[in-house]
Amino acid sequence: MRKRTAVIAAVAIVAVGGGIAYAAWSSSGAGTGSVGSTADVNSTISAVDGAGGLYPGHTVSFQVTIDNPNDYPVKVTGISAGASALVNGCAEGTVTSSAVTNPAGTIAAGATGTYTLQATMDTDAGDACKSQSFTMPLTATLSSAA
C-alpha cells in the first residue's frame, strides 16, 4: 500500500506541476514605435586672417573657418567663389576667390574646420586698391557625414 500511495503521490505531483506549466498563458503584442529626426542648423563662415601681399595679378592664400552647430558630423562639399565689393574707390570684383569642390576633412558635431582658399587681385587694379582690406561673401555647402 505504501508503494501504491507513493506512486499516486508522484503522479499527482507531476500532474499538478505539469498543469501549472500547461496553464501558464502565453501572449504576443503588436503596436508601433516612434522616433523623430533633428533639424539642421546653418553653418557660418568666418575669416581667420586678413592675408596681405595682394597686388595686381598676384594670388595669395587666405583661411576661413566653417562651424558645425549640428549634433552630427558634416563634410564640406563645396565653397563658392567670391568677389570683393566696392572698397574706397577700388572697383567691385577687383579681388576674387575661386570655388573649391570637396575640400578634405570632416567637421565634428559642434566643432569648426579651417579651409585655405586663394584670392587673386585683378591685373587692372588701380591705385585706389592699395592698402585696402577686401571682404568676399562666400557660401559653403555641407552634407551629413554620419
Side-chain angles (χ1 to χ4, degrees):
M1 179 84 158
R2 263 185 147 174
K3 200 174 190 184
R4 185 174 164 186
T5 304
V7 170
I8 291 173
V11 169
I13 290 173
V14 170
V16 170
I20 291 173
Y22 181 74
W25 293 359
S26 62
S27 64
S28 63
T32 60
S34 178
V35 297
S37 62
T38 187
D40 64 327
V41 179
N42 288 334
S43 296
T44 345
I45 301 175
S46 304
V48 172
D49 59 27
L54 274 175
Y55 55 84
H58 186 67
T59 300
V60 296
S61 296
F62 70 102
Q63 291 185 322
V64 297
T65 59
I66 300 175
D67 73 333
N68 176 15
N70 295 292
D71 294 333
Y72 52 87
V74 296
K75 175 165 180 21
V76 176
T77 57
I79 302 172
S80 70
S84 62
L86 174 67
V87 178
N88 299 324
C90 183
E92 180 178 339
T94 297
V95 177
T96 58
S97 66
S98 300
V100 177
T101 304
N102 293 319
T106 298
I107 306 173
T112 60
T114 302
Y115 298 87
T116 301
L117 307 174
Q118 304 295 312
T120 302
M121 181 177 273
D122 189 69
T123 56
D124 295 333
D127 285 345
C129 299
K130 292 178 182 177
S131 300
Q132 300 295 334
S133 292
F134 301 94
T135 302
M136 293 175 285
L138 301 169
T139 302
T141 53
L142 301 95
S143 66
S144 168

